[in-house]
Amino acid sequence: MRKLAIATTFLLLLLSFIPSVGVAQVKGVYWTSSGMFGPFPMVDLVPSLPKEKQRDVTIPVNMWVIDHPKGLVLFDTGNNVAISDGNCKKYWPAMCDLLKPSQKRDDVIDMQLKKLGYSTDQVKAVITSHAHLDHIGNIKLFPNALHVIQKKELYQAWWPEKFQGRTGGAFVMGDFDGPAREFNYLELEGDYDLFGDGSVVVLSTPGHTLGHQSVKVRLASGQTLLMAQDAIWFKENLEGFPAGLNYSVKDYNASIQRLKMIRDLENGQLFFGHDADQFKQQGAPKWFK
Ligand SMILES: [Zn+2]
């Protein structure tokens, strides 16, 4: 018995000297919104929506802050600062009446970071889901960060398909021209494990746009968070009513299935890009730890 106790003590002592291998944990994930869009009828965005599910919605513009020991990460930077405080028409002349944004200067990502106690130069990496105006809007506030985007999405942003609109559409050149041309882009062609420890994984989820990507985060608790962004706008899209505005309906459906399967395999929580009910029910803006 005594021998066993000595052996156990020795083993515990030994273990305490072995450095933990590959277990860098995400410290926290903050979920917030770059102001709101709406109100407008949901059917304008989801043409397949049956009449009984139709309602007017005011929707969040989700952005995420991921605090990892190796650096601070943003997932999407929201609407450009220039549309704040009722100044939409100057910067988005063709989109204001449709989207009805209500972004205050305080809602912009730099101010939100400040409120959380971070500065913009602390941001090591900015992951952009896709190059639409409500997701890539403020990359220019992070000139020193590494920008993580699918290579195809960069091409698409600069020269969208004609049916998606080349001027006045959802791709706004001012968001990524000028100095942003020379940023450091990690140009992905598929999935990517950002810190090499499996805790922040970029997932290729095309369909909404040519190079759309989502993010999977594993918290220290072991819980999986899946941020779909515009791969899935609303719960209704998951229930079989596809959104409009897709680059490819085939890829869109495959990406939804992919996210669903990952959610089910890992018992994860799936977050939609613009779901007002989910945002409210979950009590966002909020931290996940
Ligand atoms: Zn969006």
Side-chain angles (χ1 to χ4, degrees):
M1 233 10 229
R2 187 140 177 265
K3 264 190 190 163
L4 187 68
I6 293 168
T8 311
T9 313
F10 181 71
L11 193 68
L12 286 173
L13 201 69
L14 194 71
L15 281 173
S16 70
F17 285 108
I18 298 172
S20 49
V21 187
V23 286
Q25 307 276 17
V26 169
K27 289 191 250 173
V29 173
Y30 186 71
W31 177 18
T32 189
S33 174
S34 188
M36 304 295 266
F37 286 158
F40 36 62
M42 196 186 234
V43 73
D44 288 1
L45 299 174
V46 185
S48 63
L49 197 71
K51 255 199 200 124
E52 64 275 14
K53 287 187 179 282
Q54 164 51 21
R55 61 190 187 277
D56 282 359
V57 282
T58 300
I59 61 172
V61 180
N62 287 347
M63 304 186 289
W64 300 85
V65 181
I66 304 161
D67 194 350
H68 186 279
K70 288 184 182 163
L72 198 63
V73 180
L74 299 181
F75 183 32
D76 284 348
T77 54
N79 308 317
N80 194 280
V81 59
I83 70 135
S84 304
D85 302 324
N87 290 312
C88 187
K89 282 264 156 77
K90 279 184 214 153
Y91 193 72
W92 288 355
M95 295 301 273
C96 303
D97 293 339
L98 182 75
L99 296 175
K100 300 184 190 161
S102 57
Q103 174 176 273
K104 293 186 205 73
R105 181 63 186 88
D106 267 3
D107 297 329
V108 180
I109 189 67
D110 58 340
M111 296 304 278
Q112 297 219 33
L113 284 172
K114 203 173 159 188
K115 260 184 274 170
L116 296 174
Y118 306 115
S119 68
T120 48
D121 14 301
Q122 264 176 283
V123 175
K124 189 173 195 179
V126 175
I127 307 170
T128 295
S129 64
H130 63 301
H132 280 167
L133 73 182
D134 52 330
H135 298 266
I136 201 171
N138 289 303
I139 61 166
K140 285 183 184 172
L141 293 176
F142 305 93
N144 302 318
L146 184 83
H147 290 266
V148 183
I149 191 163
Q150 295 289 320
K151 193 181 184 88
K152 280 180 185 170
E153 189 68 13
L154 283 175
Y155 290 169
Q156 179 79 146
W158 282 91
W159 199 249
E161 297 300 324
K162 202 162 186 185
F163 77 90
Q164 293 202 303
R166 287 178 180 160
T167 47
F171 295 101
V172 175
M173 209 63 149
D175 290 342
F176 40 78
D177 65 358
R181 294 279 277 179
E182 301 303 327
F183 283 2
N184 280 325
Y185 292 98
L186 183 59
E187 299 172 20
L188 301 182
E189 290 177 271
D191 298 351
Y192 192 76
D193 179 354
L194 196 63
F195 294 114
D197 61 8
S199 67
V200 182
V201 179
V202 179
L203 300 169
S204 167
T205 50
H208 175 66
T209 61
L210 181 63
H212 189 281
Q213 56 188 12
S214 304
V215 167
K216 183 179 83 166
V217 171
R218 200 187 54 230
L219 294 172
S221 62
Q223 199 200 348
T224 296
L225 307 181
L226 269 170
M227 295 85 141
Q229 291 299 71
D230 286 6
I232 308 172
W233 278 342
F234 309 117
K235 184 169 64 85
E236 283 75 2
N237 304 139
L238 202 62
E239 292 168 348
F241 308 110
L245 210 88
N246 284 312
Y247 175 84
S248 156
V249 175
K250 177 177 165 282
D251 288 348
Y252 170 83
N253 285 322
S255 291
I256 291 185
Q257 290 312 314
R258 181 175 196 216
L259 289 167
K260 246 176 154 171
M261 284 188 266
I262 296 172
R263 178 198 64 182
D264 294 346
L265 280 168
E266 301 192 18
N267 293 335
Q269 220 180 336
L270 180 56
F271 298 91
F272 316 121
H274 293 284
D275 192 300
D277 295 337
Q278 188 181 45
F279 195 79
K280 219 186 282 169
Q281 282 159 11
Q282 293 269 332
K286 69 180 274 192
W287 275 104
F288 292 89
K289 301 243 180 185

